[in-house]
C-alpha cells in the first residue's frame, strides 16, 4: 500500500512539474498570441514618422529601424518623412502638409518647442499624435516618450567627477542653441558646480561634426596640457574627441564621457579612449510610440464606454524610457548586439 | 506664332517654369484629387515657401549683378533672435524691437557690401565669414531659443487675411514692389549693366561700388524681414533657423532664370523658383517619398537649372568652357574708369 501511495505521490509531483503552462511550446504559443494583433487592421492604416536630419545614422539605426520593424510586426504601413538637415521650419512644414493627407497616426521627433503649433494642428485635426525624444511644452500631444536631457548631462557630470576624482579642468561640447542639448549642458554644470576644484574651461560648438569635434579637442589639448576631462553631447562628439585623444597619445589620461552608443562609440570604449557612454534607449521611443498610436486608434484598452466623449486618451501621457550607461565593465554585452 | 517667337519663349525661364509649374499642378491634381488641389494644401505650400521667397528676391537682385550672399540664413536667425531678445528680456515695444532687428540686419549688409565693393574681397569669402560671425551672434543672443513672445508679435506671422497667412501676403508685396522697381526704375536697371559687363557699366558712369553696397543692404534687410516673420510665425526665435537656406535660395533663383554669370533674371523668376521647389517638396510628402531623397532631388534640380543656363548661354555664343571660367570669377577684376 505504501508503495502505491508513494507512486501516486511521485506521479503527482512529476505531473506538477510538467505543468503545460510552463512548457516551451506553451510559452511559444503565448508569445505568438501576444504578437498577433487581436484587432482587425485596416489595409489603409498608415503611421507616419516626421523627424529631422532624416538620414542621420543614429536616427536611421535606432529610431527608424525600430519603427519599421514595428510596422512589419503589426502588418501596417509606415512612412518616414522630414528634411535631411536640422531644419525645424522644414519639419513643421512637413507635419503641416502630412496632416492634410490624414495619416492614421503621427509620430513626431520632438526637436524644438517651436513645433508645438504644428503638433496642435495635428491633434485638432483628430490625428493621434505622439512625440518622442524630447517633450514639447505647450503642445497638446497625446503622449510623449523619451529621456530627460538634463538627466543626460547630470549623469555625465557625475561620471566625470568620479573619473577625475573631483578636481581638474573640464571642457564640454555639443550643438549650441539646441533646446535639449542646452538642458544637458545645464545638468552637467549643476553637478560640476558642487566641486570647487573642478574648473570648466569652455563650452564649444562642434555642430555634430566629427572633424570639428576633433579640431576643438586638439586645440583644447594644446591650450590646456593638464586638461582632465571632456564631455560630449552629440552623436559626433565622441568619435571626434576620441580621434584627437588617440592622435595625441592621451588615451586614458584625459577622461572622456559622451552620449550615444553607435559602433564607433563602442569601439572607442573598448580601446579605452572613451570612459563612459550615456545612451538613450531610442528603439523604445519609436516602437512603443507607434504602439501607443496603434492602441489609441484601435481602442485597445478602453477606460470608459466612450473615451473620446469622456475626454481621455487610453494611452500613457508621458513615459521616461530611461538611460543606459556603458563602461569597460559592461561593454561586452553591447558589443554582441553591434558586432 | 512664328518659329523665332516660339524659340524666344522657350528660352524665357519665367515662361518655361510657369508652364512646368502648371503641368505639375494639373498632374498632381489628377493623382491626388482629394489632397493636392485643396485650398488648405496650396495655402500651406505658399506659407512654407514665403520666407525663402522673400530672401530669394534679394538673392535674385544680387545674382543679376553677378554677386551672391551666403550669410542670409544666419541673418534670418539673427534678426529674429535680436528682436525676440529685446522684447522678451527688455520688454521693448514690438515695433521698436522689429526696427532694431531690421536695422542690424541692414548693418550686416552694409558691412558685406563695403568689404566686397570697396575693399575688393571676394563675395564668397566675405559672406562665408559673415555667415559664421552672424550665426555665432544669433547663438549668443538666442541660446537655446526664446519662446513666449508677445501676442502682438506672434500675430504678425500667425494671422490670416482672406484665408492666407500673413507671411504669404508679405511675400506677394515684396515680389510686387521689387518687380516694379527692377523693371521700371533706372537705378535698379544698373544691376543688369553691372552683371552684364562691369567694366562697361563703370565706364558709362555707373557708381558700381555704391550700387553693389545697396544690393547687399537690400538682401540683408529682406533676410531680416524673413527672420522676423519666421520668429513670429513659430512664436519662437531659434538660433538654428535658416541653416542651409542660402543653398536652397540660390538653387531657386538659378532655377528662376538667374545666371551665375550675372546680367540675367527677373524678380518674378525668384518667386517661380521657390514655388517650383515648394511644389516638389509637397509632392514628395504626398507621395511619401523618403526624406533621404530630398538632398538628391535638390542636387538634381540644381544641376538641371545650371544645365539649362549653360544651354541658353551656348545659344548666346558662350561655350561651356568659357561659362565655367567666367562663373568661377565671382569678382570681376577692378577696372579704373
Amino acid at each position: 500500500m505504501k508503495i502505491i501511495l508513494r507512486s501516486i505521490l511521485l506521479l503527482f509531483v512529476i505531473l506538477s512539474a510538467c505543468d503545460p503552462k510552463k512548457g516551451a511550446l506553451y510559452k511559444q504559443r503565448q508569445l505568438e498570441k501576444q504578437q498577433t494583433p487581436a484587432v482587425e487592421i485596416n489595409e489603409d492604416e498608415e503611421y507616419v514618422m516626421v523627424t529631422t536630419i532624416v538620414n542621420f545614422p543614429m536616427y536611421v539605426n535606432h529610431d527608424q529601424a525600430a519603427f519599421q520593424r514595428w510596422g512589419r510586426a503589426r502588418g501596417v504601413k509606415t512612412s518616414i518623412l522630414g528634411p535631411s538637415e536640422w531644419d525645424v521650419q522644414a519639419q513643421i512644414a512637413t507635419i503641416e502638409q502630412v496632416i492634410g493627407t490624414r495619416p492614421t497616426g503621427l509620430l513626431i521627433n520632438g526637436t524644438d518647442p517651436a513645433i508645438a503649433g504644428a503638433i496642435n494642428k495635428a491633434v485638432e485635426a483628430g490625428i493621434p499624435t505622439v512625440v518622442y525624444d524630447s517633450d514639447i511644452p505647450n503642445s497638446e500631444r497625446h503622449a510623449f516618450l523619451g529621456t530627460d536631457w538634463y538627466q543626460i548631462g547630470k549623469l555625465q557630470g557625475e561620471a566625470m567627477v568620479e573619473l577625475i576624482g573631483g578636481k581638474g579642468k573640464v571642457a564640454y561640447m555639443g550643438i549650441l542653441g539646441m533646446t535639449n542639448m542646452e538642458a544637458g549642458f545645464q545638468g552637467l554644470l549643476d553637478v560640476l558646480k558642487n566641486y570647487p576644484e573642478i574648473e570648466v574651461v569652455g563650452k564649444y560648438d562642434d555642430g555634430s561634426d566629427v572633424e570639428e569635434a576633433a579640431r576643438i579637442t586638439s586645440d583644447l589639448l594644446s591650450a590646456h596640457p593638464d586638461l582632465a576631462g571632456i564631455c560630449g553631447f552629440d552623436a559626433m562628439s565622441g568619435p571626434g574627441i576620441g580621434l584627437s585623444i588617440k592622435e595625441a597619445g592621451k588615451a586614458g589620461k584625459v577622461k572622456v564621457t559622451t552620449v550615444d552608443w553607435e559602433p564607433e562609440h563602442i569601439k572607442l570604449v573598448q580601446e579605452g579612449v572613451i570612459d563612459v557612454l550615456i545612451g538613450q534607449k531610442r528603439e523604445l521611443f519609436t516602437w512603443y510610440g507607434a504602439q501607443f498610436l496603434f492602441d489609441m486608434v484601435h481602442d485597445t484598452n478602453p477606460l470608459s464606454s466612450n473615451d473620446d466623449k469622456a475626454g481621455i486618451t487610453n494611452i500613457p501621457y508621458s513615459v521616461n524610457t530611461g538611460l543606459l550607461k556603458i563602461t569597460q565593465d559592461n561593454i561586452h554585452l553591447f558589443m554582441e548586439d553591434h558586432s | 506664332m512664328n518659329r523665332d517667337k516660339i524659340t524666344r519663349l522657350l528660352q524665357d525661364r519665367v515662361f518655361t517654369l510657369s508652364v512646368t509649374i502648371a503641368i505639375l499642378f494639373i498632374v498632381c491634381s489628377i493623382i491626388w484629387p482629394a489632397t493636392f488641389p485643396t485650398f488648405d494644401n496650396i495655402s500651406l505650400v505658399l506659407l512654407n515657401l514665403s520666407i525663402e521667397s522673400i530672401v530669394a528676391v534679394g538673392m535674385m537682385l544680387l545674382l543679376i549683378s553677378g554677386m551672391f550672399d551666403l550669410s542670409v540664413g544666419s541673418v534670418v536667425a539673427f534678426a529674429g533672435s535680436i528682436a525676440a531678445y529685446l522684447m522678451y528680456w527688455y520688454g521693448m515695444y514690438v515695433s521698436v524691437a522689429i526696427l532694431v532687428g531690421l536695422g542690424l540686419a541692414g548693418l550686416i549688409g552694409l558691412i558685406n557690401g563695403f568689404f566686397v565693393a570697396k575693399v575688393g574681397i571676394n563675395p564668397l569669402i566675405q559672406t562665408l565669414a559673415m555667415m559664421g560671425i552672424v550665426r555665432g551672434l544669433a547663438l549668443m543672443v538666442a541660446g537655446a531659443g526664446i519662446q513666449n513672445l508677445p501676442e502682438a508679435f506672434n500675430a504678425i506671422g500667425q494671422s490670416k487675411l482672406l484665408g492666407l497667412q500673413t507671411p504669404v501676403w508679405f511675400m506677394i508685396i515684396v515680389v510686387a514692389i521689387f518687380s516694379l522697381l527692377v523693371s521700371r526704375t533706372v537705378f535698379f536697371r544698373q544691376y543688369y549693366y553691372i552683371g552684364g559687363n562691369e567694366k562697361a557699366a563703370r565706364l558709362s558712369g555707373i557708381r558700381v561700388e555704391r550700387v553693389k553696397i545697396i544690393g547687399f543692404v537690400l538682401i540683408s534687410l529682406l533676410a531680416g524681414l524673413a527672420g522676423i516673420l519666421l520668429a513670429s510665425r513659430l512664436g519662437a526665435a531659434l538660433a538654428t533657423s535658416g541653416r542651409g537656406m542660402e543653398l536652397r535660395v540660390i538653387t531657386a533663383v538659378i532655377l528662376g532664370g538667374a545666371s551665375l554669370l550675372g546680367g540675367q533674371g527677373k524678380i518674378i523668376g525668384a518667386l517661380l523658383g521657390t514655388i517650383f521647389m515648394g511644389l516638389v517638396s509637397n509632392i514628395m510628402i504626398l507621395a511619401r517619398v523618403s526624406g533621404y531623397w530630398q538632398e538628391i532631388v535638390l542636387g538634381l534640380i540644381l544641376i538641371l537649372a545650371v544645365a539649362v543656363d549653360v544651354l541658353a548661354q551656348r545659344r548666346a555664343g558662350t561655350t561651356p568652357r568659357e561659362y565655367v571660367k567666367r562663373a568661377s570669377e565671382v569678382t570681376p577684376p577692378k577696372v579704373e574708369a
Side-chain angles (χ1 to χ4, degrees):
Chain A
M1 188 63 190
K2 264 186 181 176
I3 289 173
I4 294 170
L5 276 172
R6 274 181 189 169
S7 301
I8 290 170
L9 194 64
L10 186 66
L11 190 68
F12 180 73
V13 170
I14 290 169
L15 283 174
S16 300
C18 294
D19 181 352
K21 286 190 175 179
K22 289 180 181 167
L25 192 63
Y26 174 82
K27 274 187 183 168
Q28 193 184 331
R29 280 181 186 158
Q30 284 300 104
L31 201 64
E32 277 170 9
K33 268 187 196 168
Q34 283 170 9
Q35 284 172 348
T36 309
V39 286
E40 189 128 337
I41 290 165
N42 184 335
E43 60 178 21
D44 296 331
E45 249 175 70
E46 185 201 21
Y47 296 84
V48 178
M49 170 194 277
V50 184
T51 179
T52 191
I53 351 180
V54 72
N55 43 5
F56 190 47
M58 187 175 74
Y59 290 171
V60 174
N61 297 336
H62 297 272
D63 312 10
Q64 296 170 19
F67 178 59
Q68 286 168 325
R69 193 156 44 86
W70 174 85
R72 284 194 296 273
R74 281 280 165 268
V76 295
K77 192 180 170 200
T78 53
S79 303
I80 298 163
L81 299 172
S84 53
E85 289 168 29
W86 185 275
D87 187 341
V88 175
Q89 194 198 343
Q91 192 192 9
I92 291 170
T94 308
I95 296 168
E96 289 181 339
Q97 290 173 79
V98 166
I99 292 169
T101 65
R102 308 293 311 169
T104 311
L106 261 176
L107 189 58
I108 297 173
N109 189 347
T111 50
D112 194 281
I115 67 172
I119 292 170
N120 293 347
K121 277 186 193 170
V123 173
E124 276 165 31
I127 300 167
T129 305
V130 166
V131 170
Y132 71 90
D133 204 348
S134 295
D135 203 359
I136 302 298
N138 305 320
S139 78
E140 304 291 326
R141 89 284 185 288
H142 293 112
F144 161 72
L145 303 93
T147 41
D148 181 353
W149 268 84
Y150 180 84
Q151 200 63 26
I152 291 177
K154 203 167 162 232
L155 279 181
Q156 278 209 67
E158 286 164 1
M160 184 52 76
V161 166
E162 199 181 321
L163 286 164
I164 62 175
K167 58 181 178 185
K169 290 180 179 175
V170 174
Y172 61 102
M173 67 180 79
I175 308 172
L176 307 194
M178 267 175 67
T179 314
N180 52 7
M181 227 159 271
E182 292 284 348
F185 298 152
Q186 195 55 52
L188 173 82
L189 294 178
D190 284 351
V191 172
L192 299 186
K193 73 179 179 194
N194 296 322
Y195 297 86
E197 288 184 80
I198 291 181
E199 182 195 344
V200 177
V201 295
K203 168 183 180 178
Y204 301 92
D205 190 354
D206 65 23
S208 195
D209 181 79
V210 178
E211 287 177 26
E212 185 62 8
R215 191 193 59 73
I216 292 168
T217 306
S218 154
D219 290 347
L220 275 168
L221 293 174
S222 303
H224 305 280
D226 55 342
L227 191 73
I230 307 177
C231 307
F233 279 83
D234 64 66
M236 297 301 143
S237 303
I241 295 169
L243 179 69
S244 261
I245 287 200
K246 273 203 291 188
E247 284 171 353
K250 295 244 181 177
K253 292 171 193 154
V254 176
K255 303 297 178 189
V256 181
T257 68
T258 72
V259 296
D260 300 327
W261 46 296
E262 295 299 298
E264 57 265 38
H265 297 83
I266 299 277
K267 192 163 175 274
L268 287 165
V269 174
Q270 197 190 359
E271 291 171 357
V273 179
I274 293 179
D275 299 276
V276 175
L277 291 178
I278 304 296
Q280 293 169 293
K281 302 172 188 169
R282 301 195 69 93
E283 282 78 357
L284 307 193
F285 296 170
T286 51
W287 177 283
Y288 288 107
Q291 187 59 42
F292 283 1
L293 289 170
F294 185 90
D295 288 342
M296 198 174 155
V297 170
H298 292 276
D299 210 12
T300 311
N301 295 299
L303 303 171
S304 67
S305 55
N306 189 329
D307 289 347
D308 268 352
K309 274 192 178 169
I312 49 174
T313 51
N314 55 0
I315 55 173
Y317 180 73
S318 181
V319 176
N320 187 340
T321 45
L323 299 164
L324 47 90
K325 187 175 172 183
I326 301 174
T327 63
Q328 287 275 358
D329 297 336
N330 62 358
I331 186 82
H332 59 286
L333 298 169
F334 294 92
M335 282 168 64
E336 282 167 9
D337 292 335
H338 288 82
S339 57
Chain B
M1 199 183 283
N2 63 36
R3 205 171 159 175
D4 280 354
K5 215 168 181 181
I6 294 171
T7 311
R8 267 206 307 278
L9 264 181
L10 289 175
Q11 283 177 342
D12 182 356
R13 196 77 61 79
V14 170
F15 174 77
T16 53
L17 200 53
S18 302
V19 171
T20 311
I21 289 169
I23 292 170
L24 263 182
F25 193 91
I26 293 164
V27 170
C28 292
S29 299
I30 294 167
I31 299 173
W32 300 287
T35 47
F36 180 77
T38 61
F39 180 78
D40 280 352
N41 187 50
I42 298 304
S43 61
L44 261 178
V45 171
L46 289 174
L47 174 64
N48 290 323
L49 59 86
S50 58
I51 304 285
E52 288 190 358
S53 293
I54 290 170
V55 182
V57 166
M59 194 66 86
M60 179 62 97
L61 192 66
L62 273 192
L63 270 172
I64 286 173
S65 61
M67 298 177 296
F68 54 86
D69 185 345
L70 297 179
S71 66
V72 284
S74 300
V75 175
V76 164
F78 177 68
S81 298
I82 199 81
Y85 183 81
L86 295 173
M87 282 182 278
Y88 186 81
W89 291 106
Y90 291 96
M92 197 178 266
Y93 286 118
V94 170
S95 52
V96 179
I98 290 172
L99 283 175
V100 173
L102 286 175
L104 289 175
L107 181 66
I108 293 164
L110 188 66
I111 297 168
N112 276 336
F114 175 80
F115 280 104
V116 171
K118 291 275 186 192
V119 182
I121 295 178
N122 186 307
L124 176 82
I125 306 298
Q126 170 58 36
T127 58
L128 193 66
M130 191 56 92
M131 178 169 89
I133 294 167
V134 177
R135 179 68 65 188
L137 288 173
L139 277 163
M140 279 170 64
V141 172
I146 302 171
Q147 280 90 37
N148 302 322
L149 300 176
E151 277 306 311
F153 179 72
N154 292 346
I156 298 169
Q158 294 174 14
S159 54
K160 281 186 175 177
L161 179 67
L162 300 175
L164 291 174
Q165 224 159 304
T166 321
V168 178
W169 291 109
F170 270 96
M171 171 187 80
I172 293 168
I173 291 166
V174 165
V175 171
I177 290 174
F178 275 82
S179 289
L180 283 174
L181 286 174
V182 170
S183 60
R184 303 278 169 85
T185 65
V186 175
F187 177 82
F188 281 92
R189 296 298 296 172
Q190 295 178 117
Y191 286 95
Y192 286 98
Y193 302 140
I194 295 171
N197 189 333
E198 189 176 330
K199 183 182 173 183
R202 209 177 283 275
L203 290 172
S204 66
I206 291 173
R207 294 168 71 183
V208 174
E209 283 88 4
R210 198 180 73 147
V211 177
K212 278 185 172 182
I213 291 173
I214 291 172
F216 275 103
V217 171
L218 284 174
I219 191 172
S220 277
L221 281 172
L222 288 172
L225 172 67
I228 283 161
L229 285 173
L230 181 61
S232 163
R233 188 198 159 197
L234 300 179
L238 308 175
T240 51
S241 289
R243 270 193 171 153
M245 185 186 273
E246 52 288 332
L247 175 67
R248 293 193 298 276
V249 166
I250 289 173
T251 306
V253 169
I254 291 175
L255 199 67
S259 168
L260 283 172
L261 304 180
Q264 282 180 34
K266 291 176 186 162
I267 295 299
I268 192 74
L271 177 64
L272 291 171
T274 54
I275 288 177
F276 180 78
M277 286 177 63
L279 275 182
V280 169
S281 172
N282 185 243
I283 291 163
M284 285 201 285
I285 290 166
L286 294 181
R288 297 293 191 260
V289 175
S290 162
Y292 300 110
W293 282 90
Q294 289 198 2
E295 289 272 313
I296 298 169
V297 171
L298 188 70
L300 289 175
I301 288 174
L302 184 60
I303 291 170
L304 183 75
V306 174
V308 170
D309 192 27
V310 170
L311 286 175
Q313 292 291 332
R314 187 149 62 180
R315 278 175 178 270
T318 307
T319 63
R321 183 173 287 184
E322 279 173 322
Y323 179 90
V324 173
K325 191 168 174 250
R326 284 175 59 193
S328 59
E329 290 168 1
V330 282
T331 309
K334 277 196 165 186
V335 179
E336 292 305 321

